[in-house]
Amino acid sequence: MHWSRREFLAAMAAGTATACLPFAGRAEAPPGLLIRDVRVVDGTGAAARTADVLVRGDTVQRIGRISARSARGARIVEGGGRVLAPGFIDLHVHGNPLRQSYASHLAMGATTVVVGQDGSSPSAGEDEAGDVPAWLDAMARHAPDINVATTSGHGSLRRLAGIDDGTRDPSPAQLERLAALLDADLGAGSFGLSTGLEYVPGRYAATAELAALGRVVARHDAVAMSHLRSEDDDAVEDAIREHIDASRPARTHISHLKVVYGKGEARAERLLAELQRHRDAGVPLTADAYPYSASYTGIGIVFPEWALPPNDYARVLATRRDELRHALEQRMTRRNGPDALLFGTGPHAGKTLAQVAEATGEAYADVLLALGPRGGNAAHFVMDDALQARLMQDPFVAIASDGSPEGRHPRGHGTFAKWIEDFAMRDARVSIEEAVRKATGLPASILGLTDRGVLREGAKADLVLFDPARVRARADYVDPFQHAEGFDLVVVNGVPAFELGERVGVAGRLLRHRAEDARPST
């Protein structure tokens, strides 16, 4: 069939374009898809070129000048000079595709998400503790609306190994069990290890414990990702060195690269120069970042370690309340004050800490004391725009959302749109070719994916068709759930999955790290 945009809209209105309606079952790849007259931006950084692209099944069959006769039986889409790129690969995502739709990611051009972040593995059941092989088995039977990969969370593995959260020096037997669990995860298809060293229980793990796991990651040619032990201006370089030392000789990746409290491009340049020195010394080092000045995490991040689990918070309040109150005041002052914390969950969602304090007539420190370190998640406005913008432009820094379908931060619905809108179009800080590479080819290489992330003949047909000038990130901190605009057609495994603002097909797959690529144990 050969439908123009106007004809397709008319068919929708008449009820004849039934493929546009959301549905739960898996869609089969159409007989073919011919996308004509597009600017192919292939994900390698190479200059865009004008061509037609023919998809057969789940594969890009041909790129070039293609006649309608050669594409007999295929649906024809007129590109009209729009960009056709590989689907974006989001390296750092929260949530669980077993229980959630990622239509919000499809709407911003993403076709693959990577879960299992910050030290927490996904779970197959509500009460399970992050058993990755069980989750992979459940995921293989599921029909996700987006491609899904996972890493293995260090914190989840620690608990499965029977290591108490507060343990700082696991026994040799516990470390052996921890390494064996990770080895099994990687053999089953996990793409690597994630650590959350600013959170419980990762904050209690010493470098030696992490290094024992880094060797396992390296044997499988997987990647070691980390939410660093600290992202503070005066500690981030030391935290990066710790991550590198713990990951050797595995590929090393920094999650959501940022400098909390730092200011200006010059500070970013110093950090990027430090990362390059590590690369020059032979460290395979990459990072990812998102185009927002607020992070989003639990409010426990503002509490001192002695008030965090496994310590008894009720006892802390009873014995050290004044000390904790003072510590919270100091921490919040350094983090730009109570106006810079915007609650995303719980009874105060959508309000700043300052607004809650005013409404309740309490001091903001007392609001935090009442909530406790497990009192919810919030956006924390602790980053400098100029510094973060410079980090994002580095060629070794991929674009990743750190978002989820339900998190109250606009990055979960707007990251890739905002990246293109602000960096490639409004300010032209990167070319459209580089903007696409950092969202496709670069993250694919970080994961070790060889059949996605680059638009070439023989690759899987994960594609996004868009006019960069019309791309808009509509989500904001007031309404973080608005879908992005401007991504006209998103194809997942050869199947149109999102089109004209609607999810139209379910064709995602579980992606496993290929066991045959793993290096033998030594």
Side-chain angles (χ1 to χ4, degrees):
M1 72 189 78
H2 182 179
W3 282 352
S4 69
R5 180 185 176 93
R6 177 174 295 179
E7 289 167 339
F8 197 87
L9 286 169
M12 287 177 63
T16 56
T18 55
C20 286
L21 298 176
F23 54 90
R26 181 179 299 279
E28 297 297 326
L33 185 65
L34 175 61
I35 309 176
R36 294 203 299 204
D37 185 27
V38 292
R39 291 172 59 205
V40 173
V41 178
D42 66 8
T44 68
R49 65 190 191 276
T50 299
D52 307 326
V53 174
L54 178 62
V55 173
R56 293 288 191 188
D58 66 354
T59 302
V60 176
Q61 184 182 80
R62 186 178 166 195
I63 303 173
R65 284 303 178 194
I66 303 169
S67 67
R69 175 173 293 184
S70 300
R72 183 169 296 168
R75 173 189 166 186
I76 299 175
V77 175
E78 297 294 349
R82 287 173 287 175
V83 166
L84 185 68
F88 305 147
I89 298 171
D90 194 340
L91 284 172
H92 192 110
V93 174
H94 295 278
N96 193 333
L98 278 175
R99 296 185 281 274
Q100 294 170 301
S101 165
Y102 282 75
S104 54
H105 268 72
L106 293 170
M108 59 176 171
T111 55
T112 298
V113 297
V114 185
V115 297
Q117 302 297 339
D118 297 337
S120 296
S121 302
S123 62
E126 294 287 351
D127 300 323
E128 294 186 17
D131 183 327
V132 167
W135 179 85
L136 289 169
D137 288 345
M139 198 71 228
R141 298 188 297 270
H142 186 61
D145 54 8
I146 199 165
N147 295 321
V148 180
T150 192
T151 59
S152 299
H154 162 252
S156 298
L157 291 167
R158 217 175 188 260
R159 289 162 179 158
L160 288 170
I163 303 171
D164 183 78
D165 279 358
T167 298
R168 296 173 185 267
D169 187 19
S171 69
Q174 287 175 320
L175 288 179
E176 185 176 350
R177 173 64 175 156
L178 189 62
L181 286 168
L182 176 59
D183 188 68
D185 280 10
L186 297 172
S190 170
F191 279 79
L193 174 71
S194 81
T195 56
L197 303 184
E198 206 168 16
Y199 305 129
V200 175
R203 66 184 302 125
Y204 301 125
T207 303
E209 175 184 331
L210 301 171
L213 299 179
R215 292 189 287 273
V216 178
V217 175
R219 287 202 304 268
H220 287 265
D221 193 25
V223 62
M225 297 184 174
S226 184
H227 175 115
L228 301 171
R229 197 172 296 277
S230 177
E231 299 167 332
D232 292 358
D233 188 25
D234 59 356
V236 65
E237 279 90 355
D238 287 341
I240 290 169
R241 283 191 288 272
E242 179 195 26
H243 178 38
I244 290 170
D245 290 343
S247 301
R248 293 179 188 274
R251 290 181 283 118
T252 306
H253 183 80
I254 302 164
S255 294
H256 41 67
L257 181 66
K258 64 176 78 75
V259 182
V260 176
Y261 316 128
K263 303 290 183 184
E265 290 189 11
R267 178 65 182 95
E269 294 289 359
R270 293 197 301 274
L271 178 57
L272 292 173
E274 174 77 0
L275 300 185
Q276 188 56 50
R277 281 191 288 273
H278 288 299
R279 293 188 198 98
D280 292 342
V283 176
L285 181 61
T286 54
D288 62 64
Y290 50 78
Y292 295 91
S293 59
S295 62
Y296 185 82
T297 191
I299 64 171
I301 202 167
V302 307
F303 284 72
E305 185 174 291
W306 48 265
L308 297 175
N311 298 299
D312 183 343
Y313 185 65
R315 180 171 177 79
V316 170
L317 282 182
T319 60
R320 303 177 70 175
R321 183 184 183 92
D322 290 344
E323 184 182 358
L324 177 56
R325 192 179 194 280
H326 179 65
L328 291 171
E329 288 175 339
Q330 285 190 315
R331 180 75 164 160
M332 286 304 304
T333 297
R334 195 177 180 200
R335 293 173 70 86
N336 298 326
D339 285 309
L341 188 154
L342 177 67
F343 288 103
T345 60
H348 308 310
K351 298 178 181 178
T352 67
L353 177 57
Q355 289 170 331
V356 174
E358 182 178 3
T360 60
E362 297 181 304
Y364 73 78
D366 292 322
V367 173
L368 291 173
L369 285 172
L371 289 169
R374 289 177 167 169
N377 296 325
H380 303 259
F381 292 82
V382 292
M383 291 179 276
D384 178 69
D385 286 335
L387 190 160
Q388 291 305 126
R390 177 62 191 92
L391 294 179
M392 292 198 67
Q393 296 169 67
D394 186 81
F396 293 93
V397 176
I399 309 306
S401 74
D402 195 8
S404 75
E406 298 175 2
R408 289 192 63 88
H409 190 300
R411 66 193 185 188
H413 287 62
T415 288
F416 294 101
K418 186 173 175 62
W419 164 242
I420 290 170
E421 180 183 3
D422 289 358
F423 285 78
M425 301 307 296
R426 188 189 68 194
D427 297 332
R429 286 178 278 194
V430 297
S431 66
I432 190 62
E433 290 87 352
E434 178 66 356
V436 168
R437 185 192 72 85
K438 285 163 64 66
T440 58
L442 177 57
S445 70
I446 291 166
L447 290 174
L449 288 173
T450 59
D451 58 355
R452 301 176 197 268
V454 175
L455 178 44
R456 58 170 176 79
E457 293 177 355
K460 295 301 180 186
D462 293 342
L463 306 170
V464 56
L465 179 68
F466 63 101
D467 177 356
R470 293 194 300 106
V471 168
R472 297 287 183 272
R474 299 173 60 240
D476 56 29
Y477 293 98
V478 176
D479 184 358
F481 302 118
Q482 294 192 76
H483 281 186
E485 289 181 346
F487 297 102
D488 301 321
L489 175 64
V490 180
V491 177
V492 178
N493 297 308
V495 176
F498 200 90
E499 188 167 11
L500 301 176
E502 298 286 344
R503 194 184 75 167
V504 298
V506 175
R509 294 177 183 170
L510 170 66
L511 307 183
R512 296 181 191 255
H513 190 248
R514 293 183 297 177
E516 62 267 26
D517 288 344
R519 292 200 290 263
S521 300
T522 56

